[in-house]
Amino acid sequence: MDADVLTAPERVSPPTTDPQWWRSAVIYEIYVRSFADGDGDGTGDLAGVRSRLPYLRDLGVDAIWFTPWYASPLADGGYDVSDYRAIHPDFGDLSEAEALIREALALGIRTIIDVVPNHVSDRHAWFQAALAAGPGSPERERFWFRDGTGPAGDGIPTHWVSPFAGDTWTRTTSPDGTPGQWYLHLFAKEQPDLNWNHPDVRREHEEILRFWFDRGAAGVRIDSAALLVKDPELREVPDVVGPGEHPTEDRDEIHDIYRGWRAVADTYPGTRVLVGELWVPDIDRFVQYLRPDELHTAFNFDFLARPWDAAELRASIDATLAAHAPVHAPSTWVLSNHDVTRPVTRYGRADSSFAFLDKRFGTPTDLDLGTRRARAAALLTGALPGSLYIYQGDELGLPEVEDIPRELLQDPMHYRSGGVDPGRDGCRVPLPWSGDLPPYGFSTGAVSAAPWLPQPASWARYTVQSEAADPRSMLALYRAALRIRRAEPLGDGPFAWLDDAPEGTLAFRRGDAFLSITNLAGHPVPLPAGELLLASDELGQAADGSRELPPDSTAWLRPQQQATENHHQRKARR
């Protein structure tokens, strides 16, 4: 790739008062334990994030989304919250979180926090009080405690399936040592589900929103947003599930909860955005959450899960844009997150789609192929209308780490699968910042502990320091793409497919002055006429001297007519 391919206009500082900022925002996900370690103990923390805020400014992001940074036993990476008003001591304290929010905003970067409303930690004060109070108590009404089935009560109340695999009910032990009631946990047993029919649960979460909005948070990402409401009759999953009929997923009553959340958010100046993690396959049900008085936006997991195939990706784009149009909500585009196999690895596999239950040890991958496709996918998603999410390390082209010693794996998905699923630790390995050896600048200080998950010995080539000096690196590509995305602009706005695009490509216009083309055809295709703005790979040349786009690559162009007009305008100004 020629160096001039990566040139782009200088970055413009993002506005901090635009109420529509979220419709086009580039949002960077930070998994705190693995981003940067400021005190040398091997665990990422808020001090580390604060020290790296200039990196995020220079990358060109509009907001940062933090996975849970709250007090937690970390049975599930912080998604088992024991206190929403306290920061985990490994990460810092509340005053440091407040300082981070202020410092980031001073650089034009908003902060989105994570809220986990489906469940809390089994160490949460409410759950501990429920265990102590016993059956029939008001404290237990905040959760799903039930007697077991059978004469001895040793049968589970339902046969509901967990997204984590494994059981969804755990039996308690009474103070006298005898078996007690069962409690529901759709995830790990350390994560008891809350009863959202209880007014205390609703009131507490609205107060949590106010607590963080008062401290400057620009929004919340809502974990497992479609799972909150359960069938109070505890009916089993029917053979044929009609809309709203699943006992634990996407029930109609859930929308009243989010209308209450939106009412809280709308009392604050500017836009405090509500972002849902919604694994809802029915696109018509999905967009019901995005009505004007509910969530602002939600993750588009359908696109992430599709294989590297032109027809599949186009179908996902068409369905997503068509469904969002009636509710006037922007789409979101995301290639990975802290739960998903990294794109460089995923796109190099024979099956490049993604499904949680299909992950297995020893799945072959071609990292060179995966890297080419991940570069192309970065530009493809960056040009689509709406907001863009980037998971930390994807801008470095980090691969999934698949050789972590099994005794060091911490993800409960691995253990609940009986050791079959490698879990999610492979995408959570601490970032490499500089140097030739671990910890690659992840930890700072005269003496640094080993990172909480081991970094591969081959990662020196992926450090920020190394990639910042290489105009052909993944980091250089992302920086250039985000500069162009802001300058054009390429967020929320018009979109139209190019009717005469070669078969096996995804080519579309964003207004009259921008064209994106991605080649998934398996062979070079002619590049449309126009001024080249950016390409994910070096262009080829046909026998007649015309430019060609190689397989598994994307190019951004100024269409010929617009490029000619711009040339004449520049000439007239001289």
Side-chain angles (χ1 to χ4, degrees):
M1 184 189 333
D2 296 333
D4 62 350
V5 171
L6 293 174
T7 60
E10 288 298 316
R11 183 178 183 276
V12 179
S13 296
T16 56
T17 57
D18 179 7
Q20 300 297 310
W21 68 271
W22 54 279
R23 300 186 66 91
S24 300
V26 176
I27 301 169
Y28 186 94
E29 180 191 355
I30 292 180
Y31 191 77
V32 183
R33 295 177 82 188
S34 298
F35 185 72
D37 171 19
D39 61 10
D41 66 354
T43 296
D45 48 39
L46 300 188
V49 177
R50 292 171 69 188
S51 72
R52 301 294 185 178
L53 286 175
Y55 168 78
L56 297 172
R57 174 201 60 203
D58 294 344
L59 180 61
V61 304
D62 302 296
I64 45 181
W65 152 41
F66 286 91
T67 57
W69 56 15
Y70 316 105
S72 166
L74 299 181
D76 180 24
Y79 283 89
D80 49 319
V81 179
S82 57
D83 186 351
Y84 274 106
R85 296 170 178 83
I87 300 298
H88 194 289
D90 286 354
F91 303 154
D93 58 27
L94 182 59
S95 64
E96 193 155 33
E98 293 170 341
L100 192 159
I101 293 171
R102 290 193 304 270
E103 291 166 8
L105 192 60
L107 297 177
I109 300 172
R110 295 172 172 85
T111 297
I112 295 172
I113 61 166
D114 216 312
V115 173
V116 191
N118 179 71
H119 50 262
V120 292
S121 167
D122 60 355
R123 308 283 182 86
H124 191 284
W126 278 8
F127 192 71
Q128 290 296 306
L131 291 177
S137 63
E139 290 85 355
R140 290 204 172 188
E141 291 302 313
R142 295 167 172 161
F143 299 91
W144 292 93
F145 282 89
R146 292 293 186 274
D147 295 331
T149 60
D154 55 0
I156 56 176
T158 73
H159 294 86
W160 293 345
V161 175
S162 169
F164 268 22
D167 297 330
T168 55
W169 294 89
T170 290
R171 197 170 193 184
T172 62
T173 301
S174 301
D176 62 1
T178 60
Q181 286 188 306
W182 298 75
Y183 69 88
L184 174 68
H185 52 88
L186 289 187
F187 295 88
K189 65 182 179 64
E190 295 87 356
Q191 297 167 292
D193 280 37
L194 290 165
N195 175 11
W196 274 88
N197 297 320
H198 199 293
D200 287 357
V201 175
R202 298 199 180 203
R203 184 165 48 247
E204 169 66 1
H205 281 78
E206 291 180 2
E207 288 303 314
I208 289 168
L209 296 183
R210 293 188 181 96
F211 181 89
W212 286 106
F213 289 159
D214 288 345
R215 282 157 179 78
V220 295
R221 177 264 192 189
I222 306 163
D223 182 71
S224 301
L227 301 184
L228 278 57
V229 177
K230 314 298 190 297
D231 181 353
E233 302 300 322
L234 301 188
R235 284 174 279 234
E236 298 289 355
V237 180
D239 293 335
V240 178
V241 182
E245 294 179 356
H246 196 287
T248 69
E249 301 174 10
D250 185 35
R251 295 183 63 81
D252 292 335
E253 305 93 317
I254 202 168
H255 297 284
D256 184 57
I257 295 170
Y258 292 132
R259 282 190 284 270
W261 286 30
R262 182 62 174 266
V264 171
D266 286 349
T267 64
Y268 286 81
T271 301
R272 308 301 172 101
V273 65
L274 305 178
V275 184
E277 183 201 25
L278 291 169
W279 293 88
V280 177
D282 184 329
I283 197 71
D284 294 324
R285 297 283 298 182
F286 174 90
V287 296
Q288 288 184 22
Y289 292 82
L290 305 181
R291 289 175 289 201
D293 60 345
E294 294 190 43
L295 306 183
H296 294 81
T297 185
F299 289 118
N300 175 13
F301 291 116
D302 180 76
F303 184 86
L304 175 156
R306 298 278 183 139
W308 185 250
D309 175 86
E312 289 272 1
L313 294 176
R314 177 162 179 162
S316 180
I317 294 168
D318 282 339
T320 300
L321 296 179
H324 282 68
V327 291
H328 306 290
S331 305
T332 65
W333 306 100
V334 55
L335 294 176
S336 73
N337 59 35
H338 63 283
D339 291 331
V340 174
T341 305
R342 287 196 181 270
V344 164
T345 297
R346 192 170 78 243
Y347 285 140
R349 290 179 169 167
D351 180 359
S352 55
S353 63
F354 177 79
F356 277 112
L357 299 181
D358 290 345
K359 301 192 305 295
R360 292 294 182 269
F361 286 101
T363 305
T365 190
D366 179 342
L367 286 181
D368 289 338
L369 175 63
T371 298
R372 289 198 303 274
R373 290 176 170 178
R375 290 174 65 91
L379 296 195
L380 169 61
T381 53
L384 291 170
S387 59
L388 175 67
Y389 283 78
I390 300 169
Y391 176 49
Q392 65 179 44
D394 280 355
E395 81 278 14
L396 301 176
L398 294 183
E400 188 85 356
V401 181
E402 301 186 281
D403 59 355
I404 300 172
R406 296 204 184 194
E407 65 272 16
L408 297 181
L409 292 174
Q410 300 190 25
D411 184 15
M413 287 193 78
H414 169 65
Y415 295 101
R416 286 172 63 87
S417 73
V420 172
D421 184 339
R424 299 163 295 177
D425 289 330
C427 67
R428 299 176 177 182
V429 173
L431 296 190
W433 290 92
S434 60
D436 297 325
L437 296 171
Y440 301 114
F442 169 71
S443 295
T444 58
V447 179
S448 297
W452 71 279
L453 284 174
Q455 300 161 303
S458 60
W459 268 21
R461 68 190 219 181
Y462 294 112
T463 66
V464 171
Q465 180 184 54
S466 174
E467 294 202 20
D470 180 2
R472 303 185 180 191
S473 68
M474 186 77 83
L475 178 59
L477 181 73
Y478 266 84
R479 285 177 170 174
L482 297 190
R483 286 197 300 269
I484 293 173
R485 192 179 192 275
R486 185 179 300 282
E488 288 307 310
L490 293 180
D492 195 26
F495 171 94
W497 291 109
L498 202 64
D499 293 333
D500 56 351
E503 185 176 356
T505 66
L506 298 173
F508 53 87
R509 287 178 179 266
R510 300 297 317 281
D512 295 329
F514 185 91
L515 186 152
S516 176
I517 178 169
T518 302
N519 180 11
L520 300 92
H523 54 78
V525 298
L527 195 69
E531 174 191 352
L532 181 65
L533 300 175
L534 185 62
S536 66
D537 201 354
E538 186 173 359
L539 300 181
Q541 192 174 54
D544 61 1
S546 61
R547 299 175 300 179
E548 289 186 324
L549 185 65
D552 300 316
S553 59
T554 297
W556 288 356
L557 303 103
R558 184 90 60 215
Q560 174 120 40
Q561 181 179 354
Q562 185 67 44
T564 302
E565 290 176 0
N566 289 351
H567 172 75
H568 290 322
Q569 290 171 1
R570 288 194 297 269
K571 189 174 181 180
R573 287 195 296 267
R574 292 195 186 111

